[in-house]
Amino acid sequence: MSLFDHKISELHSKLHKKEISATDLVDESYKRIHAVEDKVKAFLTLNEETARAQAKEIDDQLGNKNEFGLLFGLPIGVKDNIVTKGLRTTCASQILANFDPIYDATVVEKLHAAEAITIGKLNMDEFAMGSSNENSSFVATRNPWNTDYVPGGSSGGSAAAVAAGEVLFSLGSDTGGSIRQPAAYCGVVGLKPTYGRVSRYGLVAFASSLDQIGPITNTVEDNAYLLQAISGQDPMDSTSANVEVPDFLSSLTGDVKGLKIAVPKEYLGEGVQDYVRQSVLDALKVLEGLGATWEEVSLPHSKYALATYYLLSSSEASANLARFDGVRYGVRSDNARNLLELYKQTRSEGFGDEVKRRIMLGTFALSSGYYDAYYIKAQKVRTLIKQDFEDIFEKYDVIIGPTAPSHAFKLGEKTKDPMTMYANDILTIPVNLAGVPGISVPCGFSDGLPLGLQIIGKHFDESTIYRVAHAFEQATDHHKQRPNL
């Protein structure tokens, strides 16, 4: 049995009793990485020397101080678009292949304060643009349940590393489902917090009004621990919210009696595979047995979410990625004869096809003559989608549906069909457009591959999401399954 099969609370108890050490946990992580990384390919950069030094420092303090950080001694992986001081941060792009940041993201500072140990940086779709991890310019991460299949994206490395037992937990980022979808594909727990709950300072921007950092873990309880550690207002991020951070762990009561669940008919309709639909209905029966009730509802504007998302996110990406020009940082072309050629060639050589595709789409949507027809109209539809959620939450506590319309698909199966690839996020995108929180928890298997149940809550009400997710988890054993690598 791996040490990582224990919950955070159990490992902390063992650390305090000196049954294990932080060095043991770091050893366990790197031993597992060296054993399975050639199959999974989740990491881009390892932090072994520094991680071992941090573990030794924590071990030396165990008998000498009474208070420890919330995550003390525990190994974590960090998605490679979250900057880490002195530890290479590439966004899985050739344009940042040599980038060593000079500061830490706020969430990384919070991990240091909680005394977690960073094991390394995790693979992703380039600049977080993708749904399969195949857009990484370095290597394609594979699904630990079946290495012929994708782990999901863009936080595929973050989800795969946890599922494969390489780290206890990880951080990902979610712009249109990029934590929840890979969590579903890899059979782990992934939360996208409310927009503004977690600081974005130090997260390399894709679409600033949609991006949010969140935790990926093996259990709901561990997820609450990690969110507790990284939440809070940050003066370095003007979009972080000045709202109280509750004690998320106190919401894990297992009690959902009287809870009212909304199930959008659009989330179980056309395009959702029968086995996914059945897994959600089975999950609702479990929650009914625990005392909750559910009713079918409608989110009428969700059918416009995909088009709205790709217009808005691409528009923001075209502006955000303009900073990568070969002048200030990152890789620059060696063949340019003047400044204009430097811009063109650096960006042509440094960006991959998917990033170029979205920059071009966004630039088109923001251009003169098309701004009102596309970008402004998409912003108006976004408001309608947000209003749909607010209307539902006047009567119901949570919304439940599938995380993805199918289980993971095979590597290479959809790479030549961008529209089909984009449709994989159709059930997660509305959550980002509305800014509400959502979690994916394991809810079954099909063809040996995991399925995810998505639970969506009101703004800044992660506590209720955790309460429902934890109750469901305790009543089932899907989360106890482990891939056989």
Side-chain angles (χ1 to χ4, degrees):
M1 183 180 182
S2 168
L3 286 173
F4 296 164
D5 288 328
H6 293 84
K7 296 184 293 185
I8 289 174
S9 55
E10 294 169 342
L11 290 176
H12 275 172
S13 175
K14 289 178 179 291
L15 283 166
H16 280 302
K17 294 175 183 176
K18 296 192 175 180
E19 295 174 3
I20 61 171
S21 66
T23 297
D24 291 333
L25 292 169
V26 171
D27 285 344
E28 179 102 0
S29 184
Y30 285 117
K31 181 181 177 182
R32 182 64 172 170
I33 288 169
H34 295 317
V36 304
E37 184 60 12
D38 62 328
K39 300 175 185 175
V40 179
K41 306 182 191 304
F43 282 89
L44 290 178
T45 306
L46 293 177
N47 189 39
E48 192 161 355
E49 184 178 344
T50 302
R52 293 191 183 280
Q54 287 177 316
K56 184 179 184 305
E57 185 178 336
I58 288 172
D59 290 337
D60 291 343
Q61 294 173 347
L62 266 173
N64 301 323
K65 69 176 188 176
N66 297 320
E67 291 189 13
F68 291 89
L70 194 62
L71 307 173
F72 79 93
L74 302 177
I76 186 169
V78 178
K79 187 175 178 179
D80 205 34
N81 61 344
I82 299 170
V83 302
T84 42
K85 185 177 181 180
L87 183 60
R88 188 153 297 181
T89 301
T90 69
C91 292
S93 177
Q94 293 300 320
I95 208 164
L96 286 176
N98 63 355
F99 179 53
D100 294 321
I102 58 173
Y103 70 99
D104 281 321
T106 295
V107 290
V108 175
E109 290 182 347
K110 285 178 175 285
L111 291 178
H112 292 329
E115 297 181 277
I117 298 172
T118 302
I119 294 298
K121 304 299 290 293
L122 292 157
N123 195 23
M124 55 185 282
D125 285 304
E126 184 181 3
F127 283 102
M129 298 180 190
S131 305
S132 68
N133 225 262
E134 293 168 289
N135 290 336
S136 169
S137 71
F138 296 106
V139 65
T141 299
R142 296 168 181 269
N143 193 315
W145 291 91
N146 186 329
T147 54
D148 291 332
Y149 286 73
V150 303
S154 63
S155 305
S158 298
V162 174
E166 295 179 300
V167 287
L168 184 64
F169 41 51
S170 66
L171 288 184
S173 69
D174 193 311
T175 306
S178 290
I179 288 174
R180 290 159 290 150
Q181 185 245 36
Y185 282 3
C186 292
V188 292
V189 179
L191 174 85
K192 184 211 84 82
T194 306
Y195 184 81
R197 169 69 80 188
V198 177
S199 172
R200 293 186 301 108
Y201 180 70
L203 173 67
V204 179
F206 162 17
S208 303
S209 74
L210 299 162
D211 300 338
Q212 191 65 181
I213 296 169
I216 297 176
T217 59
N218 282 309
T219 68
V220 174
E221 181 181 307
D222 286 0
N223 207 276
Y225 263 102
L226 189 47
L227 183 64
Q228 195 81 50
I230 64 173
S231 293
Q233 188 185 23
D234 177 17
M236 302 299 288
D237 175 11
S238 62
T239 64
S240 74
N242 183 17
V243 294
E244 182 183 354
V245 179
D247 178 4
F248 296 119
L249 289 163
S250 67
S251 64
L252 308 183
T253 61
D255 179 18
V256 292
K257 288 179 182 174
L259 190 101
K260 298 174 73 175
I261 300 169
V263 181
K265 62 183 181 182
E266 292 84 1
Y267 285 20
L268 295 175
E270 185 180 355
V272 177
Q273 298 298 314
D274 289 341
Y275 58 82
V276 172
R277 188 180 299 109
Q278 188 59 50
S279 73
V280 172
L281 294 174
D282 291 343
L284 290 168
K285 286 180 184 176
V286 170
L287 292 168
E288 273 187 313
L290 296 172
T293 60
W294 67 274
E295 294 177 359
E296 187 179 86
V297 298
S298 178
L299 292 170
H301 296 98
S302 61
K303 60 186 175 182
Y304 306 116
L306 204 62
T308 300
Y309 169 82
Y310 279 100
L311 277 168
L312 295 179
S313 65
S314 298
S315 296
E316 293 184 29
S318 73
N320 279 325
L321 271 63
R323 71 194 69 178
F324 303 106
D325 54 14
V327 175
R328 287 159 288 188
Y329 44 75
V331 173
R332 70 172 61 184
S333 175
D334 295 326
N335 305 314
R337 293 171 297 180
N338 54 53
L339 185 61
L340 186 59
E341 279 193 11
L342 175 67
Y343 289 156
K344 287 182 177 180
Q345 292 182 18
T346 294
R347 292 166 68 81
S348 295
E349 296 165 12
F351 289 140
D353 289 345
E354 183 60 30
V355 175
K356 292 174 185 174
R357 183 181 294 121
R358 298 199 195 195
I359 289 173
M360 291 173 69
L361 173 61
T363 303
F364 173 79
L366 292 174
S367 62
S368 177
Y370 299 98
Y371 181 83
D372 289 343
Y374 293 104
Y375 181 77
I376 293 297
K377 185 173 286 186
Q379 289 285 26
K380 291 177 178 178
V381 176
R382 180 180 189 171
T383 300
L384 294 174
I385 291 169
K386 180 173 177 285
Q387 187 62 53
D388 284 349
F389 279 98
E390 291 172 354
D391 291 344
I392 296 296
F393 285 131
E394 286 182 3
K395 300 178 183 176
Y396 299 92
D397 299 299
V398 293
I399 295 170
I400 284 182
T403 307
S406 69
H407 59 54
F409 47 90
K410 282 192 172 183
L411 285 153
E413 187 176 318
K414 300 182 180 181
T415 50
K416 295 183 179 177
D417 187 355
M419 293 307 297
T420 301
M421 185 78 81
Y422 294 168
N424 280 283
D425 295 332
I426 195 165
L427 300 170
T428 52
I429 278 171
V431 171
N432 297 78
L433 291 170
V436 294
I439 196 171
S440 178
V441 293
C443 70
F445 292 85
S446 179
D447 300 325
L449 294 164
L451 306 174
L453 180 74
Q454 183 174 206
I455 305 167
I456 304 164
K458 303 171 186 176
H459 286 101
F460 298 105
D461 192 17
E462 288 86 357
S463 293
T464 299
I465 290 179
Y466 278 140
R467 180 160 64 100
V468 178
H470 183 256
F472 174 73
E473 182 183 78
Q474 296 306 298
T476 58
D477 62 359
H478 308 303
H479 66 289
K480 296 178 182 177
Q481 310 293 324
R482 294 289 183 271
N484 180 20
L485 275 164

